[in-house]
Amino acid sequence: MKRRRFLHTVGAGTAGLAAFSCSDRERAERLAGSDAGIDEAGLTWSKAPCRYCGTGCGVEVGVKDGRVVTVRGDVKSPVNRGLLCVKGYHLPGMLYGEDRLRYPMLRDGDNWKRISWDEALDLIARKYREALDESGPDAVAIYGSGQWTVFDGYAASKWFRAGMQSNNVEPNARLCMASAVTGFMTQFQSDEPMGCYEDFEVGDDFILWGNNMAEMHPVLFSRILANKRNNPGVRIVDIGTRRTPTTDYADMYLEFVPGSDLAIANGILHCLVRDGKISEPFIRENVVFKRGIEDIERIGFGSWGEDGLGLEPGDGPAEHYRFKDQGRDASLTELEDFLADYTPAKVSDISGVPAAQIETLGRIYGDPGRGTVSLWCMGVNQHTRGTWMNNLITDLHLITGKISRPGSNPFSLTGQPSACGTVREVGTLAHRLPADMVVTNADHRAKAEEIWNVPPGTINPKPGLHTMDMFRAFMRGDVKVLWTQTTNPWVSIPNLNRIRREPGDGRFLIVSDIYPTPSTEVADLVLPCAAWVEREGVFGNSERRTQHWHKAVDPPGEATEDAWQIIQVAKRMGMEHLFPWPEDYWHKPMYEEYRSFTLGLGKDVASYEQLEQTRGLLWPVVDGVETRYRYAAGHDPYVKKDRGVHFYKAKGYGEKAAFWIRPYHRPAEIPDEEYPFWLCTGRVLEHWHTGSMTRRVKQLHQAVSEGYVEMNRVDARRLGIGAGQIVLVASRRGELELPASVGGRGEPPPGSVFIPFFDEARLPNLLTLDAMDNISKEPDYKKCAVRIERT
Amino acid sequence: MRRVTGRILPIIALAALSGTCTSPDTVAVPGHEGARKSSAEIRAERRAYDGAPPVIPHRGFGADCVNCHNDRGRSVSGVGYAPASPHEGTRSAGGTIRCMQCHVFRTTDAEFVASEFDGVAQALTSGDRATAGAPPRIPHRVVMRENCLACHDGPGAREAIRTTHPERTRCRQCHLPIEKLDRFTTVTDPVGMDLE
């Protein structure tokens, strides 16, 4: 196996850990912000946010002899108050898999050759320079992630936009929360939720839209359960396409036909309007109505083989998907007419959900006396109409006035530790600049050019390639040099057969990571990275909390942090003016430069000193005080005391929020006779994303050691498939053999299967369809058609 | 052999089976007839490091964990003694507690890649005393171990740490926690958040 050969060449397992330069006592004091950092057992303790999901739990990291030997939940963290999930408790093991990447490695035919950092950085600079000179800024790209620290993302964005004059900067967060970004941006003209985790203690009803929170955001779910223990009237509603561990705790479960959540939300709106349960004063003061393009033929899905679905004329796979929505003014009256098509009975026909359950949800959202929190994550975002679904959920709160109030908010959860902090706030999507600004706006470009001290006109006004287009362009050869960091696209991109790569194709792929993965296998150059507390970092979590940590241990071998790699390449390309800070002191000045983008805009992140001393703060932070509820008088310093709620960021809507009328559209691919099952993909509690970190933790691997296909027991019986039996799962795009799970932790309804994506040996993305949301360009991993065969 | 994820194989020892032991602080090792291990050793084996949540040492029984692992523990016919939950409020939690958030089954002994992780060792130190006759201080962190009697009394308790006076249920009246163990630092409270 290629990768194992790679390991032998690397000689993994031999590198030592250099001692820290300052004394243990000095280090402890610096890490802890006090003189109490070393305990009786000789452990040095420091604070850090967890490395995995977007919850952002605080952990205390215990270090001895230069190695992380323990962690514990941080009781001072307002996020988790001492509790972690099983992944968090096992964080230290993530650093110490014996196959850690330790040295830069260059492909040499079928082998790998260890090279020096100077050689590696010179080579990258030369490849990027050649591509720029020969083919221009469209031919270069960098692809990072929501695990990039603020430093990594800021360095990448500044280097590309102000140095390379290219906007081909993208994060893997395009695959996970881009629809939430476009949801918030289309409604508030400012990204990210208005509420905070305190909503979980204050709210009465928690409506989970396609959200297996018990496994994916366990610590936050435990906060809701604690609320339920203390207040027996608290209710949880699980709206899903599969029974999960979350369903076990739900007071009501709605099982819907995949994609029909659009109809369900409209059905609830129908009930609210019909029963007069809308808040007319709130609407008058705070809401405008909008309506976009709804013609399914015109919108399409952007997927390979779409022509076969009869949606667009032309030959061959869709290469570019550039649909642009156009909004127009609408009204409450137009909404009332529109909703006539969404009676509970009609919605029941589309969704399979009993009309009575839709009526019940109407009563829940329509009860002004109870706090309602809507929660969602991948089920809504990874959806061919994900932006619409985001809009509809927020619409439910806008029409009832249940928004920007403690315990009543639409709350989008994120799956990566800095999807908010780095991707959304720093702005590493292809069209973004920091603090909600975009490259297409001349004023925004001018502001960025001023802060970055580059000549006017430097920043390219053309948005870069979104992720799906970026990988398609790389396979075509239009992108000639691609650098990926902290992500594993050759596991996580949908329809993997479409990006199957053989090195030597004339393009150059650089992969920075901490372990060998299927992505390093197809790379030309592999760079070893410092992970988590092996470096200094800042993450931003789902509730707008910016959190900082100091380096606690040295990385193995010659591993370095991602931002350092970027800065060194930029310097070699003559762009040293972008990173004018001393080599041994650049984190803080870089952060403060980034922070200057955010001040005065309602996006104000906390100062570096404050971040070092606290368990993070919720932006906007004005005069050192954080904001728990945005747009709310008495909480948000940008709202006048007597104003109630004020959506002050939405200048384009007269400082009101936009209610978008959005219809139901069918999914891109629907089961038929040939492929009769729905396929949904996702995560499990024990593994995080592609599993490159968590599978190297013994306890987590031993809990769930391999991928499986979860089936309904009726289907299994009908097909004669027993638990553990190897079955073939095939779609129009690929096939996969893996064991069946029947009667396991989750159960899809008959006609539907689920496969987790952590197992690189059993890749469900060989099966998935690369269809996208029309507005966010986020692919849909939750709905395609497959068949199941016994082997 | 392929194993199905999520399906629980019969595994490992049922740990604190002190009710079935001949020697007070060792337990039988299932699958190895006659073999015995100290309960401290078994305790360490189930944890990635001292302080990590233990993996679940038995197969799933299809019931809520707190049915057996309640605040006093329970003898389960044909299986052994299910030790009490050390976590605060377990008894009243009913169906609103999610044990599997932190405790997972072990379905295989294999590793994906060998690990060089070497966690902090189990600390079996006793609490210090101000004077010879004074009550010892609590030598470990109290967070997630609020129910003292779960570990210090009953059939699930290790002999070495069993209390002589379980009837005096308000332990912290005399045994003081060491604040430093719970809070390593004195950083400023986040502004505006009312921390407990």
Side-chain angles (χ1 to χ4, degrees):
Chain A
M1 182 178 165
K2 262 187 197 166
R3 191 138 60 84
R4 301 302 166 221
R5 194 161 65 238
F6 174 71
L7 288 179
H8 286 301
T9 321
V10 176
T14 53
L17 285 151
F20 241 83
S21 54
C22 56
S23 77
D24 285 351
R25 168 62 65 180
E26 285 170 358
R27 181 156 60 99
E29 290 179 5
R30 187 168 51 78
L31 291 171
S34 79
D35 61 358
I38 300 184
D39 70 8
E40 292 80 355
L43 293 174
T44 306
W45 291 94
S46 62
K47 71 175 174 91
C50 176
R51 174 63 181 75
Y52 298 120
C53 82
T55 300
C57 292
V59 297
E60 295 173 315
V61 184
V63 171
K64 194 168 188 183
D65 301 328
R67 295 179 60 102
V68 178
V69 294
T70 182
V71 294
R72 57 194 191 193
D74 187 347
V75 293
K76 295 273 271 186
S77 168
V79 172
N80 53 309
R81 298 166 182 171
L83 189 64
L84 296 171
C85 78
V86 70
K87 289 187 296 300
Y89 281 118
H90 290 90
L91 270 164
M94 174 269 283
L95 297 171
Y96 299 114
E98 70 164 12
D99 57 346
R100 269 298 290 270
L101 299 173
R102 293 160 209 261
Y103 307 102
M105 302 295 297
L106 180 66
R107 178 175 293 282
D108 182 14
D110 282 343
N111 295 312
W112 293 91
K113 184 173 74 176
R114 178 177 162 182
I115 60 173
S116 71
W117 269 111
D118 271 336
E119 289 172 299
L121 298 165
D122 285 344
L123 177 62
I124 299 169
R126 199 179 78 233
K127 290 285 184 186
Y128 269 122
R129 175 55 67 197
E130 284 171 6
L132 269 182
D133 291 347
E134 287 167 19
S135 310
D138 292 346
V140 293
I142 188 164
Y143 179 70
S145 85
Q147 302 152 65
W148 257 347
T149 64
V150 162
F151 307 113
D152 305 329
Y154 189 75
S157 183
K158 187 177 183 185
W159 172 44
F160 252 67
R161 299 187 212 276
M164 313 279 269
Q165 295 187 276
S166 168
N167 290 313
N168 280 346
V169 187
E170 268 282 279
N172 68 358
R174 177 76 68 179
L175 313 177
C176 78
M177 39 99 277
S179 302
V181 174
T182 46
F184 283 112
M185 290 303 289
T186 52
Q187 298 190 277
F188 305 98
Q189 300 195 323
S190 180
D191 196 9
E192 298 194 40
M194 46 293 301
C196 66
Y197 295 161
E198 190 188 60
D199 280 328
F200 303 146
E201 278 83 46
V202 185
D204 301 305
D205 295 318
F206 297 87
I207 318 299
L208 276 48
W209 290 87
N211 190 201
N212 178 11
M213 204 176 172
E215 287 200 270
M216 305 318 153
H217 296 89
V219 168
L220 299 181
F221 193 63
S222 74
R223 286 179 68 161
I224 295 177
L225 291 183
N227 183 4
K228 199 166 163 60
R229 277 200 297 281
N230 296 331
N231 304 289
V234 165
R235 294 178 294 191
I236 297 171
V237 179
D238 178 19
I239 308 174
T241 58
R242 159 184 175 247
R243 284 183 174 272
T244 67
T246 304
T247 318
D248 295 342
Y249 299 88
D251 296 272
M252 182 166 84
Y253 173 57
L254 284 74
E255 193 162 82
F256 65 93
V257 173
S260 67
D261 43 356
L262 293 154
I264 294 170
N266 276 312
I268 301 167
L269 286 170
H270 176 100
C271 296
L272 290 168
V273 171
R274 180 199 63 198
D275 298 343
K277 295 291 185 187
I278 62 176
S279 176
E280 289 189 22
F282 184 88
I283 295 168
R284 248 193 326 273
E285 233 172 88
N286 299 299
V287 179
V288 296
F289 289 84
K290 292 276 172 186
R291 196 161 180 180
I293 297 169
E294 296 173 2
D295 178 1
I296 193 167
E297 300 293 329
R298 193 170 156 198
I299 297 172
F301 296 100
S303 60
W304 195 19
E306 185 167 350
D307 307 328
L309 299 172
L311 290 168
E312 272 185 359
D315 297 315
E319 281 293 335
H320 307 283
Y321 187 58
R322 305 265 167 81
F323 170 81
K324 197 164 171 49
D325 196 22
Q326 288 160 7
R328 62 167 177 81
D329 290 337
S331 66
L332 184 56
T333 312
E334 185 175 345
L335 172 69
E336 285 168 5
D337 294 344
F338 167 85
L339 291 174
D341 282 343
Y342 294 96
T343 63
K346 286 183 184 174
V347 169
S348 182
D349 288 343
I350 298 170
S351 66
V353 171
Q357 286 192 314
I358 295 160
E359 296 278 2
T360 302
L361 273 170
R363 284 192 292 276
I364 290 174
Y365 275 102
D367 185 343
R370 291 176 67 84
T372 307
V373 182
S374 300
L375 291 148
W376 70 97
C377 200
M378 294 310 130
V380 164
N381 294 344
Q382 294 174 337
H383 191 309
T384 44
R385 296 295 177 262
T387 306
W388 290 8
M389 201 48 226
N390 270 267
N391 287 160
L392 284 166
I393 293 173
T394 299
D395 285 348
L396 290 165
H397 290 265
L398 286 174
I399 204 166
T400 51
K402 287 185 162 186
I403 191 164
S404 287
R405 280 166 35 186
S408 266
N409 280 302
F411 206 119
S412 147
L413 298 168
T414 48
Q416 298 191 78
S418 203
C420 286
T422 303
V423 174
R424 301 163 80 159
E425 292 156 29
V426 168
T428 59
L429 292 156
H431 63 300
R432 290 284 282 259
L433 290 165
D436 288 341
M437 300 197 300
V438 290
V439 298
T440 47
N441 181 308
D443 293 340
H444 295 175
R445 290 197 304 276
K447 177 171 178 174
E449 284 157 351
E450 188 188 336
I451 291 174
W452 285 342
N453 198 22
V454 294
T458 298
I459 298 174
N460 194 331
K462 186 176 110 181
L465 299 166
H466 61 75
T467 296
M468 300 304 292
D469 268 4
M470 183 180 280
F471 279 85
R472 291 172 183 180
F474 184 64
M475 294 314 293
R476 282 197 306 273
D478 293 347
V479 165
K480 300 199 181 317
V481 182
L482 173 64
W483 186 355
T484 76
Q485 293 192 324
T486 60
T487 186
N488 191 4
W490 272 268
V491 172
S492 59
I493 297 276
N495 194 3
L496 281 170
N497 281 321
R498 198 168 168 184
I499 60 163
R500 199 177 275 277
R501 176 176 196 242
E502 286 298 328
D505 57 5
R507 277 88 79 184
F508 196 71
L509 175 66
I510 308 133
V511 174
S512 294
D513 211 324
I514 65 171
Y515 286 112
T517 67
S519 301
T520 61
E521 275 186 40
V522 296
D524 297 293
L525 176 64
V526 174
L527 301 179
C529 293
W532 192 42
V533 294
E534 294 168 349
R535 46 155 318 162
E536 187 164 347
V538 170
F539 281 161
N541 78 354
S542 292
E543 62 164 351
R544 298 174 280 109
R545 181 177 302 279
T546 316
Q547 305 198 76
H548 171 272
W549 74 95
H550 280 294
K551 177 178 173 178
V553 294
D554 281 322
E558 295 179 0
T560 61
E561 63 189 285
D562 306 77
W564 180 88
Q565 297 167 11
I566 290 169
I567 294 168
Q568 297 309 314
V569 170
K571 287 183 174 176
R572 281 165 169 77
M573 294 182 74
M575 301 169 191
E576 59 276 4
H577 59 286
L578 301 177
F579 305 100
W581 309 295
E583 289 266 336
D584 59 351
Y585 183 74
W586 53 271
H587 293 91
K588 185 175 172 183
M590 181 190 277
Y591 177 86
E592 291 297 351
E593 181 185 285
Y594 156 60
R595 182 174 176 244
S596 68
F597 276 96
T598 69
L599 299 178
L601 295 177
K603 303 287 291 189
D604 324 49
V605 291
S607 73
Y608 211 69
E609 287 83 0
Q610 220 178 347
L611 290 183
E612 285 179 297
Q613 289 299 313
T614 63
R615 264 52 175 189
L617 291 128
L618 309 175
W619 59 260
V621 179
V622 176
D623 297 330
V625 180
E626 67 178 1
T627 301
R628 283 179 290 163
Y629 298 95
R630 286 175 88 191
Y631 312 129
H635 291 280
D636 188 332
Y638 286 90
V639 178
K640 289 199 179 83
K641 293 285 178 210
D642 57 351
R643 186 68 166 78
V645 170
H646 182 194
F647 299 111
Y648 57 87
K649 290 290 288 179
K651 307 284 185 210
Y653 303 140
E655 303 194 357
K656 294 181 177 189
F659 180 111
W660 283 86
I661 296 172
R662 300 297 196 186
Y664 163 74
H665 271 189
R666 68 171 183 81
E669 189 179 56
I670 294 172
D672 55 18
E673 271 185 26
E674 199 181 352
Y675 296 96
F677 285 88
W678 288 104
L679 168 66
C680 178
T681 69
R683 291 211 297 106
V684 293
L685 164 73
E686 293 83 351
H687 290 296
W688 195 72
H689 288 192
T690 65
S692 59
M693 291 183 282
T694 48
R695 294 190 91 196
R696 284 164 172 88
V697 177
K698 188 173 83 172
Q699 287 76 12
L700 301 177
H701 175 70
Q702 292 181 342
V704 184
S705 59
E706 63 181 15
Y708 54 88
V709 55
E710 187 181 87
M711 300 182 69
N712 185 278
R713 53 198 100 191
V714 172
D715 288 332
R717 201 178 309 127
R718 182 170 55 79
L719 296 172
I721 293 168
Q725 188 173 335
I726 305 301
V727 298
L728 177 86
V729 186
S731 76
R732 290 184 174 86
R733 296 152 295 278
E735 56 184 48
L736 180 62
E737 285 192 5
L738 70 181
S741 169
V742 183
R745 68 176 66 187
E747 183 161 40
S752 195
V753 298
F754 170 83
I755 303 178
F757 73 99
F758 68 85
D759 184 352
E760 63 186 46
R762 296 168 188 81
L763 296 167
N765 281 322
L766 293 168
L767 310 171
T768 46
L769 179 68
D770 50 349
M772 283 170 262
D773 175 56
N774 53 335
I775 297 171
S776 70
K777 313 300 184 284
E778 176 169 348
D780 188 331
Y781 294 87
K782 304 293 188 184
K783 297 179 275 297
C784 73
V786 296
R787 68 168 194 271
I788 312 279
E789 289 173 17
R790 294 172 59 179
T791 54
Chain B
M1 173 192 155
R2 283 179 187 276
R3 289 183 173 144
V4 184
T5 308
R7 189 172 155 225
I8 308 311
L9 302 175
I11 320 173
I12 323 176
L14 250 183
L17 295 174
S18 42
T20 63
C21 295
T22 50
S23 164
D25 211 20
T26 63
V27 295
V29 182
H32 299 271
E33 201 171 332
R36 302 187 74 77
K37 277 186 176 178
S38 80
S39 59
E41 199 177 343
I42 287 180
R43 180 183 183 277
E45 281 175 1
R46 291 187 188 142
R47 289 162 171 81
Y49 55 87
D50 195 35
V55 296
I56 303 168
H58 59 75
R59 66 182 174 84
F61 296 123
D64 280 352
C65 309
V66 295
N67 279 0
C68 303
H69 299 284
N70 55 29
D71 61 343
R72 295 297 297 168
R74 180 171 158 185
S75 185
V76 183
S77 173
V79 182
Y81 191 80
S85 162
H87 310 317
E88 193 169 38
T90 299
R91 179 172 50 181
S92 61
T96 54
I97 193 165
R98 183 159 161 73
C99 309
M100 302 281 291
Q101 174 179 324
C102 305
H103 302 283
V104 294
F105 288 101
R106 192 190 293 179
T107 62
T108 172
D109 292 331
E111 286 185 87
F112 179 62
V113 169
S115 176
E116 295 170 353
F117 174 62
D118 190 10
V120 66
Q122 181 165 263
L124 298 176
T125 52
S126 303
D128 60 353
R129 298 169 193 262
T131 60
R137 290 201 296 174
I138 302 171
H140 58 75
R141 206 181 184 214
V142 179
V143 173
M144 300 303 288
R145 289 192 259 185
E146 299 88 356
N147 178 7
C148 307
L149 294 183
C151 303
H152 295 282
D153 185 37
R158 293 179 48 230
E159 200 57 37
I161 59 169
R162 188 185 299 278
T163 177
T164 58
H165 45 279
E167 71 284 1
R168 302 187 65 83
T169 51
R170 206 178 125 60
C171 313
R172 272 174 266 178
Q173 176 179 323
C174 303
H175 302 281
L176 298 174
I178 304 169
E179 167 113 357
K180 224 166 141 184
L181 291 175
D182 276 346
R183 296 189 174 184
F184 76 90
T185 176
T186 53
V187 299
T188 321
D189 278 345
V191 182
M193 293 301 283
D194 186 22
L195 286 181
E196 288 163 18

